[in-house]
Amino acid sequence: MISLIFITIGILFNLLGCIGIIRLPDTYNRLQAATKCVTLGCCSILLGVVFHFGFSDAGTKVLVAIPILFFASTVGAHALIRGTYHFGIKLGNKSVKDDYKDALK
Amino acid sequence: MSNYLNILLYIQIGISVVCMYRIIRGPTIPDRMVGADIFGILVVGICAIISIQTERSFILDIGIAWIILSFIGTLTLAKYLTGKKLNE
Amino acid sequence: MKGMTLIVKKTTQLIGGMIFMYGIYVVAHGHLTPGGGFAGGVIIAGSFILITLAYGDDFLKLVGEKAGTTMVESFATIMVILIATSGFLFGTRIFFNNFLPKGVVGHLVSAGVLPLYNIFVGTEVAASIFIIFLSLIIFKEESSK
Amino acid sequence: MNPLIPLFVVTPLVGAFLIMITGRFIKESDKYLTSFVLLFLVFISFYSLLTTGENLSVYKVGGWEPINKVPIGIYMVMDGFTSIFVCIINLIGFLSAFYSSSYIKRYTAGNYFYALFCLMIAGMNGVVLSGDLFNIFVFLEISVISSYALVAFGVEKNELEASFKYQVLGGLASFLILFGIGFIYWKTKTLNIADIKEVFNAGYDKSYYLFVQILILSGFGLKAAIIPFHAWLPDAHSSAPSPISAMLSGVLIKAVGIYVIIRLFFNMFAVSEGMAILITTLGTLSMVIGVFLAIGQWDIKRLLAYHSISQMGYVVLSVGIGMTLVSRGANQEVASLAIAGGIFHLINHAAFKGLLFLNAGAIEYTIGTRDLKEMGGLAKSMPVTSATSFIASMSISGIPPFNGFFSKLIIIIAAIMAKFYLLAALAVIVSIITLASFLKFQRYAFYSKSDVMKNPQIKEVPFPMVFSMVILSIICVLLSLLAIPDIRDAILTPAVNILTDPIKYSSIIIGQ
Amino acid sequence: MRYITMFILSLIFWLLLTFDLTVPNIIVGTVSSIICSLFFGRFFITNVYKLLQPRRYFWFVIYLFVFIWECIKANLDVAYRVLHPAMPIRPGIVKVKTTLKSDLAKMLLANSITMTPGTISVDIIDDNLYIHWIYIRSEDPEIYTGMITGAFEKYIKRIIE
Amino acid sequence: MIAYIMCFILFLVGLYGVITRRNLVKIAVSLSIMEISTFLFFALIGYIDGGIAPIVDPADPAKTYVDPLPQALILTAIVIGLATTAMLMAVIIRLYRKYGTFDIREIKKLRG
């Protein structure tokens, strides 16, 4: 039962991330929404799986999977956003500040 | 219980299909890559739910392998985006 | 500064070992779960690719150059063929004969020679995928000179 | 259980990977190792040719015995037809490898060359020996992928482009074959050729069966370069290094194309008249169009490549005639004669086309060009090359004492006896045009006067190349002995019997 | 020393993954851990002795709770911005100076920042973190540095340095 | 049944790409699409309604499994496909270095 609650929460977060990736205007903001929501959502689903299987071989396997998922998604987001900036995509027209431009010179 | 899980599974699959929209539509290359990255993470969720549904734990193995390969793919594409060589 | 940013470098330190161990897990449990030599080999090669991406060619100097990978690959293939031939020598003159005791279904040490095949196929696949990656990278570097 | 059978695959595989290791430590060990491995293979293949005869020996990999007469393991089969092929592959392979030991000095990375060569040999032996559809596919891909790499071995513009074309069309063919295998597996739930035959005998759906046959024929036809699918062959065969051209043209298109077509259409599918007439038509088309495309060529190797298409047309034509007769159920002797003529011509073609490509390689090695207009008068400075190439030219165009004459004669006689008068006439005309084309080749390359012959630098090629060419020309002459009825009965008749008998192959394999 | 740390960590990872305490499994795990430490040990953590101090683990647990709380806040924040019809975003890249010294700490800080309300770290150059912020609340460097790094920096300092 | 038709359509899409595209890399991608449609077809013919993945569970071996043979065949075919694709990409990269373009209309030295 408790696993179902976790999974439901996770899917709600995933849904939010999905709406974000469709609605937001430029690449940077899409990455913002998507990474956070989807990572937390999937971690939550995996936690639900841990509670479902209990302390067994499957449960510990999922416990191992959570840090891998966490690091993979955050580092992936970081590398992607840096790559996007170097690729030459401009910040959206709503943006107000850009300190990184100076640092690259 | 299993009915409810089924509904959740369909919602999750629907979310990843919507992600496909960004991969196909995305106006620039980085947009498509963001879509692919997010899609890779969502698949792990699908694997987890299926493993509960069928009570077979080896599907989790597939999920972990998927996230690892997706991570390597994302890093490689990000490396390509920065446009630098291996040793820069 | 070679390679990618500090964040990527430090995280690959943490996660590279994990990926390597996971690949070995997939190879070693190949006769019990889905996966086996090919899938595990791809994951092991993935860990090397990850480190190479993050650190530039520092890692290559540790493992040896491209030539070394070719050697590993050839050696592993010869080992696979030799295991096949060992059935010919010890068993009843049949290639691919499973002459070791079979054990109990579901244990780690079971299924005769299948785990040995898995291990060497895994080594072979890891080496060859890594060599494909290196070749494509070196092609790219040479062409942009 | 004949323990020799798997050695045909295992030895070259071990050799290939040993070369990669020893080639790095011991210099020039690669060529000796390759020659040694292939010499060993030649010995055991001739041994098995002599001992096989009418027998059929089966090897079950892994020792899996059939359950309820349903085969579950991987089977390797050695019969009369197979043993002939194994002999051709290993003999031409050995001579080409020995020839390369001096030819390949122009290129760097010799050990890669020899490793790929051994892999190609292993793949072809595997295709010929396996009695299982999917293993045919796997070994076919092994040999074909190594040939992709070997075609591109020179990494110049021509080679790369030819290799690209070859790979795209070869990939297409592979997927057609895989689709065909999938359709067969869907209906029969088995992959063993003999077992599929048994299942088909119990009854099948006509249109489905036709669809599968078309898929398989177009897939292997692409690999064999029968005429509507021939686009890749001239480029690939002319761009590869010369020993590889000899292997590709002399052996590879036969082993992975013609052999599988003959084997599957006789021993797996029930022989049907419509399909037989289609195959005969394709053979005739390739025979005629190939030779007409060859006339206008001035590049030696392209000329030889187009002649390969034409000569393969002869083989397919005569096998098609035999198939038609078998399906009609009449005139079994004529059918046997036609098929025997086809197989005979196939063996001959391996010998003389291999020799011609080796000659072309020798000419290119000496004067550095492949254009007929730029050479001439080489007969004085290169006597051995000239003599061997004369023998090969006379063989391919069917001049009496040489082997090509007898096989063409058998094909034409069979066509006349089967009342295909038009096809017989076409075969004669094509033979005459071939003669004309090769007279042009002889005249421009060896006898006409030109500036090249005044160059004192030109002399005979080194010993390994001469050795291979001389041996092949002796074989060219000796092969005409196969026309004598006693020898033909000993070698060709078992192969023909296993093909024309509708149930022998499957019943023996299932029975064991 | 580094190699031994790597060995122990990978053995723990292996045991968690297989969840099987039979003898063959442990032997396979040991052998593969040795191989793993030979390959990857060179790149691993430098100051090993810090792993032996228990209070660091205590702070790590507290840090985890803080972190999860921040994560949930981040998600609700994003949810608000995404679902609001007008989409109140004000994005930009800001520069933040950190006081952390070691590389591992910087990495942990950057990853934490990535998971907190509306921020993703773009790059690290020396001591400066460049951060993409979805809604810039203030233009003053002092204030926004506190907003972004303040929650984590002190814990990370206690854990690692 | 619709799945079979879909995978045949996928095959035709790949064939269309191989015939009409002018870019070397796109030809390679189209070949990969054809390859994958073939694998999909193999996976479909092994499917049994209500069957589960063919991993034997020691606790409860009597279940309905799907046919494992096509899956083994696909694994082999995937490895072969990997080799083919790597070879093709290597040749394409070499061609790009020689000609400086991916356009097939400009890479036309050989004729006939």
Side-chain angles (χ1 to χ4, degrees):
Chain A
M1 195 59 221
I2 193 166
S3 65
L4 276 187
I5 293 171
F6 269 104
I7 292 176
T8 316
I9 292 171
I11 284 185
L12 280 180
F13 279 130
N14 280 350
L15 201 58
L16 285 177
C18 191
I19 295 170
I21 203 176
I22 298 296
R23 267 197 86 191
L24 285 169
D26 71 341
T27 314
Y28 301 95
N29 295 320
R30 278 175 206 143
L31 203 52
Q32 286 268 9
T35 314
K36 285 190 228 324
C37 292
V38 171
T39 309
L40 194 75
C42 279
C43 281
S44 170
I45 290 176
L46 289 182
L47 265 180
V49 177
V50 174
F51 282 114
H52 181 269
F53 280 111
F55 193 65
S56 67
D57 57 345
T60 48
K61 208 182 282 172
V62 181
L63 269 183
V64 161
I66 288 175
I68 293 182
L69 178 70
F70 171 75
F71 280 115
S73 65
T74 49
V75 175
H78 157 72
L80 264 184
I81 202 167
R82 185 165 179 271
T84 310
Y85 197 93
H86 281 263
F87 190 68
I89 304 288
K90 298 279 184 303
L91 287 175
N93 34 6
K94 279 186 181 176
S95 47
V96 292
K97 205 163 191 290
D98 190 358
D99 285 347
Y100 191 47
K101 195 165 57 185
D102 309 330
L104 279 185
K105 279 172 190 169
Chain B
M1 162 96 183
S2 93
N3 233 342
Y4 186 58
L5 255 181
N6 257 334
I7 295 170
L8 290 183
L9 180 60
Y10 286 134
I11 294 173
Q12 179 82 354
I13 291 175
I15 292 169
S16 23
V17 170
V18 173
C19 247
M20 281 290 200
Y21 167 80
R22 190 45 76 193
I23 301 180
I24 295 164
R25 173 71 211 294
T28 60
I29 296 173
D31 275 320
R32 292 170 208 267
M33 287 180 186
V34 171
D37 185 29
I38 302 306
F39 180 76
I41 301 172
L42 283 173
V43 168
V44 182
I46 296 179
C47 284
I49 296 176
I50 290 178
S51 81
I52 291 190
Q53 211 182 22
T54 59
E55 292 287 334
R56 312 190 86 192
S57 64
F58 68 77
I59 295 175
L60 291 168
D61 283 353
I62 303 169
I64 301 175
W66 178 277
I67 183 78
I68 287 169
L69 293 181
S70 146
F71 173 52
I72 295 166
T74 308
L75 267 194
T76 317
L77 291 178
K79 181 98 185 168
Y80 158 72
L81 278 183
T82 52
K84 300 210 169 144
K85 309 232 181 68
L86 191 64
N87 284 336
E88 275 180 44
Chain C
M1 191 170 73
K2 280 182 177 178
M4 303 177 79
T5 56
L6 192 75
I7 303 173
V8 181
K9 280 188 177 179
K10 279 290 165 187
T11 315
T12 44
Q13 285 179 0
L14 264 174
I15 221 171
M18 280 186 183
I19 291 176
F20 185 81
M21 292 302 285
Y22 187 74
I24 288 190
Y25 163 76
V26 172
V27 171
H29 289 242
H31 52 293
L32 306 175
T33 56
F38 185 73
V42 170
I43 294 174
I44 292 175
S47 71
F48 291 141
I49 289 173
L50 199 59
I51 298 279
T52 316
L53 277 178
Y55 280 84
D57 63 2
D58 282 357
F59 184 66
L60 298 188
K61 280 171 196 136
L62 177 74
V63 179
E65 28 183 325
K66 183 163 150 258
T69 326
T70 318
M71 300 286 292
V72 172
E73 187 187 352
S74 302
F75 169 74
T77 316
I78 285 189
M79 283 308 293
V80 169
I81 299 172
L82 278 188
I83 294 174
T85 322
S86 66
F88 187 75
L89 298 177
F90 300 125
T92 53
R93 309 229 289 161
I94 295 170
F95 279 90
F96 290 106
N97 193 16
N98 198 341
F99 57 93
L100 290 175
K102 305 288 192 296
V104 188
V105 175
H107 282 202
L108 186 59
V109 178
S110 64
V113 292
L114 286 188
L116 293 176
Y117 281 127
N118 270 335
I119 289 168
F120 288 106
V121 169
T123 320
E124 205 275 337
V125 170
S128 54
I129 295 220
F130 191 49
I131 208 173
I132 288 174
F133 170 78
L134 284 184
S135 316
L136 293 181
I137 287 277
I138 289 166
F139 269 141
K140 187 170 183 297
E141 311 259 303
E142 281 178 1
S143 65
S144 52
K145 259 174 202 166
Chain D
M1 297 289 263
N2 183 353
L4 276 183
I5 296 176
L7 281 183
F8 282 109
V9 182
V10 172
T11 325
L13 269 183
V14 172
F17 293 103
L18 265 182
I19 285 165
M20 290 306 291
I21 290 182
T22 57
R24 192 167 299 281
F25 299 120
I26 309 163
K27 227 181 174 194
E28 303 211 328
S29 67
D30 43 9
K31 59 174 110 167
Y32 302 116
L33 198 57
T34 314
S35 297
F36 179 73
V37 163
L38 287 168
L39 195 59
F40 173 69
L41 284 176
V42 168
F43 279 127
I44 61 173
S45 59
F46 272 98
Y47 174 74
S48 54
L49 175 69
L50 293 178
T51 52
T52 300
E54 291 276 347
N55 306 333
L56 189 152
S57 48
V58 178
Y59 186 87
K60 305 184 186 72
V61 178
W64 296 93
E65 296 294 333
I67 299 174
N68 296 331
K69 295 212 164 186
V70 175
I72 54 172
I74 297 170
Y75 280 28
M76 299 175 94
V77 182
M78 169 77 92
D79 58 13
F81 189 39
T82 310
S83 58
I84 291 177
F85 257 93
V86 168
C87 279
I88 301 174
I89 292 169
N90 294 314
L91 187 62
I92 306 284
F94 166 66
L95 291 174
S96 299
F98 197 65
Y99 179 93
S100 335
S101 59
S102 60
Y103 182 84
I104 210 66
K105 278 179 192 141
R106 301 168 22 179
Y107 302 101
T108 52
N111 52 352
Y112 287 94
F113 178 86
Y114 287 108
L116 286 169
F117 196 93
C118 283
L119 272 181
M120 193 163 84
I121 296 278
M124 284 188 290
N125 281 338
V127 169
V128 170
L129 283 168
S130 80
D132 179 316
L133 270 183
F134 197 77
N135 272 294
I136 287 180
F137 174 74
V138 171
F139 284 120
L140 182 147
E141 286 293 310
I142 290 177
S143 64
V144 166
I145 287 174
S146 16
S147 75
Y148 297 156
L150 284 171
V151 167
F153 201 72
V155 291
E156 289 304 320
K157 286 184 177 180
N158 284 349
E159 282 93 337
L160 290 169
E161 191 190 335
S163 176
F164 181 77
K165 214 184 227 180
Y166 186 18
Q167 285 189 35
V168 171
L169 286 172
L172 193 61
S174 303
F175 305 139
L176 286 175
I177 293 166
L178 203 55
F179 247 102
I181 293 172
F183 275 108
I184 289 173
Y185 182 77
W186 194 7
K187 275 286 184 277
T188 62
K189 294 290 169 205
T190 177
L191 286 170
N192 193 296
I193 291 175
D195 205 20
I196 291 170
K197 170 85 172 175
E198 298 279 306
V199 176
F200 275 152
N201 277 347
Y204 50 81
D205 182 2
K206 256 287 167 45
S207 55
Y208 188 81
Y209 195 66
L210 189 68
F211 180 58
V212 172
Q213 277 182 326
I214 296 283
L215 274 179
I216 295 275
L217 182 64
S218 47
F220 286 106
L222 255 168
K223 296 276 186 206
I226 302 173
I227 207 70
F229 316 116
H230 69 289
W232 57 269
L233 186 136
D235 298 341
H237 286 201
S238 60
S239 302
S242 282
I244 299 305
S245 298
M247 285 301 289
L248 289 177
S249 212
V251 184
L252 190 98
I253 57 171
K254 298 185 183 67
V256 307
I258 305 283
Y259 168 82
V260 188
I261 287 177
I262 294 175
R263 173 65 85 198
L264 294 189
F265 278 89
F266 276 108
N267 287 137
M268 194 175 84
F269 299 117
V271 181
S272 66
E273 189 172 354
M275 198 43 78
I277 288 177
L278 177 62
I279 289 176
T280 317
T281 317
L282 288 179
T284 318
L285 276 178
S286 4
M287 183 174 82
V288 176
I289 298 177
V291 80
F292 276 111
L293 286 173
I295 290 178
Q297 300 297 328
W298 286 96
D299 184 333
I300 315 174
K301 288 172 82 174
R302 277 179 93 78
L303 184 140
L304 295 177
Y306 277 114
H307 276 296
S308 283
I309 299 177
S310 164
Q311 301 297 317
M312 282 294 100
Y314 271 100
V315 177
V316 176
L317 162 71
S318 68
V319 170
I321 289 173
M323 203 185 271
T324 318
L325 292 178
V326 168
S327 71
R328 283 180 187 159
N331 272 337
Q332 289 302 316
E333 290 82 20
V334 183
S336 304
L337 189 67
I339 296 171
I343 297 172
F344 189 16
H345 194 69
L346 201 145
I347 301 168
N348 291 341
H349 180 252
F352 55 65
K353 190 49 67 68
L355 178 52
L356 279 171
F357 269 113
L358 295 188
N359 289 141
I363 294 171
E364 195 189 350
Y365 181 82
T366 320
I367 64 174
T369 177
R370 299 199 312 233
D371 197 342
L372 274 178
K373 287 172 191 162
E374 293 175 20
M375 57 182 74
L378 293 173
K380 288 226 177 72
S381 46
M382 300 168 70
V384 181
T385 311
S386 163
T388 52
S389 123
F390 181 75
I391 291 174
S393 302
M394 292 304 107
S395 291
I396 193 173
S397 38
I399 299 299
F402 300 109
N403 54 1
F405 170 72
F406 295 103
S407 54
K408 283 186 181 175
L409 190 67
I410 292 176
I411 291 171
I412 292 167
I413 289 174
I416 290 172
M417 283 167 78
K419 301 194 173 61
F420 289 113
Y421 298 116
L422 177 65
L423 298 186
L426 276 176
V428 174
I429 293 169
V430 168
S431 182
I432 293 169
I433 301 174
T434 312
L435 178 62
S437 167
F438 275 93
L439 283 180
K440 179 182 98 177
F441 167 53
Q442 288 291 320
R443 179 169 160 262
Y444 276 94
F446 294 108
Y447 296 111
S448 73
K449 303 264 185 274
S450 82
D451 305 336
V452 181
M453 62 178 291
K454 287 168 193 153
N455 189 350
Q457 297 288 324
I458 295 174
K459 53 178 186 288
E460 193 54 78
V461 288
F463 168 71
M465 300 166 83
V466 170
F467 175 80
S468 296
M469 292 191 291
V470 168
I471 293 285
L472 264 176
S473 60
I474 291 172
I475 288 170
C476 265
V477 178
L478 283 185
L479 274 176
S480 49
L481 290 178
L482 273 180
I484 299 169
D486 285 344
I487 303 177
R488 202 177 74 202
D489 281 348
I491 293 176
L492 287 182
T493 313
V496 176
N497 285 345
I498 198 94
L499 291 175
T500 49
D501 198 332
I503 54 166
K504 188 180 172 194
Y505 182 80
S506 57
S507 61
I508 291 179
I509 292 178
I510 298 293
Q512 274 184 349
Chain E
M1 201 59 205
R2 272 181 275 172
Y3 292 90
I4 293 171
T5 323
M6 191 72 205
F7 170 73
I8 293 168
L9 280 179
S10 37
L11 193 57
I12 291 172
F13 183 79
W14 173 266
L15 290 178
L16 277 177
L17 201 57
T18 54
F19 200 70
D20 184 7
L21 277 180
T22 52
V23 175
N25 188 30
I26 292 176
I27 292 172
V28 173
T30 315
V31 171
S32 47
S33 304
I34 289 171
I35 300 171
C36 180
S37 60
L38 284 181
F39 275 131
F40 295 95
R42 202 185 76 146
F43 294 105
F44 208 57
I45 309 167
T46 42
N47 292 326
V48 180
Y49 65 93
K50 284 178 185 166
L51 282 173
L52 300 175
Q53 297 167 345
R55 69 186 161 83
R56 294 183 189 272
Y57 294 101
F58 170 71
W59 285 113
F60 182 70
V61 172
I62 290 181
Y63 168 74
L64 264 187
F65 283 108
V66 172
F67 176 69
I68 289 169
W69 173 241
E70 290 287 332
C71 255
I72 292 167
K73 246 169 58 184
N75 281 284
L76 294 178
D77 183 64
V78 171
Y80 164 70
R81 296 194 194 289
V82 168
L83 293 177
H84 196 285
M87 271 199 287
I89 57 173
R90 203 162 159 255
I93 297 181
V94 298
K95 186 167 99 173
V96 172
K97 202 167 166 54
T98 173
T99 53
L100 296 174
K101 288 289 172 291
S102 86
D103 287 350
L104 194 63
K106 278 183 201 162
M107 183 274 280
L108 203 53
L109 179 66
N111 275 342
S112 309
I113 285 170
T114 304
M115 288 307 290
T116 48
T119 48
I120 292 187
S121 48
V122 178
D123 205 347
I124 296 184
I125 296 175
D126 299 331
D127 273 350
N128 299 320
L129 283 162
Y130 292 87
I131 287 168
H132 182 264
W133 203 356
I134 200 168
Y135 190 85
I136 295 181
R137 293 184 194 165
S138 122
E139 298 282 335
D140 186 10
E142 294 284 323
I143 297 176
Y144 65 65
T145 304
M147 275 177 170
I148 292 171
T149 62
F152 304 115
E153 213 167 26
K154 56 183 183 229
Y155 293 108
I156 292 176
K157 198 170 261 176
R158 278 173 195 158
I159 293 170
I160 290 175
E161 289 183 350
Chain F
M1 197 58 213
I2 189 155
Y4 293 98
I5 295 170
M6 290 292 278
C7 97
F8 199 67
I9 288 174
L10 202 59
F11 187 82
L12 292 181
V13 167
L15 194 59
Y16 175 81
V18 169
I19 293 168
T20 59
R21 293 296 104 179
R22 298 280 179 228
N23 189 321
L24 296 179
V25 180
K26 284 183 181 168
I27 289 175
V29 171
S30 309
L31 267 182
S32 295
I33 290 174
M34 286 170 69
E35 194 181 322
I36 283 169
S37 78
T38 318
F39 301 157
L40 191 60
F41 176 70
F42 260 86
L44 280 173
I45 62 180
Y47 179 70
I48 295 171
D49 222 6
I52 53 174
I55 309 287
V56 178
D57 194 356
D60 180 16
K63 281 179 180 164
T64 311
Y65 298 114
V66 298
D67 189 356
L69 187 60
Q71 304 190 356
L73 301 186
I74 299 167
L75 278 180
T76 316
I78 285 174
V79 177
I80 292 171
L82 172 78
T84 318
T85 313
M87 189 66 218
L88 194 55
M89 290 317 288
V91 168
I92 287 174
I93 291 170
R94 289 279 192 174
L95 270 175
Y96 182 75
R97 286 173 59 189
K98 294 281 177 197
Y99 285 88
T101 175
F102 280 128
D103 194 340
I104 201 164
R105 281 168 296 190
E106 294 177 28
I107 306 173
K108 249 191 190 170
K109 280 200 85 192
L110 298 172
R111 286 184 189 278

